[in-house]
Amino acid sequence: AAISRSAQILGVAEWFDVARHGSPFSEAQTLETVRAELTAKAGVWFDAEVIEALLEVQRVIQPVGT
């Protein structure tokens, strides 16, 4: 079964947030590193269109709850 577009978007957003801000299991990475990793994972781990869209709007995303 195909993964729905909304699930793909949530998956990429979650990965981005954890990679950028860290978790109990991994350290935070720089924005440049995260963008490079996303580009490398396009079409492999994540849908390339979803990654392209995130990278286009990422600069205007504002943190929530800070």
Side-chain angles (χ1 to χ4, degrees):
I3 300 172
S4 70
R5 182 63 87 190
S6 58
Q8 292 176 21
I9 292 167
L10 287 173
V12 170
E14 176 69 14
W15 186 92
F16 179 88
D17 185 60
V18 170
R20 186 69 184 98
H21 302 289
S23 75
F25 309 104
S26 63
E27 293 184 20
Q29 300 175 35
T30 65
L31 180 58
E32 294 77 22
T33 299
V34 172
R35 289 177 64 88
E37 284 194 45
L38 275 177
T39 300
K41 290 172 176 28
V44 180
W45 280 18
F46 301 114
D47 184 274
E49 290 179 357
V50 175
I51 290 178
E52 182 180 334
L54 173 67
L55 294 176
E56 285 181 24
V57 301
Q58 174 273 315
R59 61 186 165 78
V60 298
I61 295 173
Q62 298 296 313
V64 176
T66 58

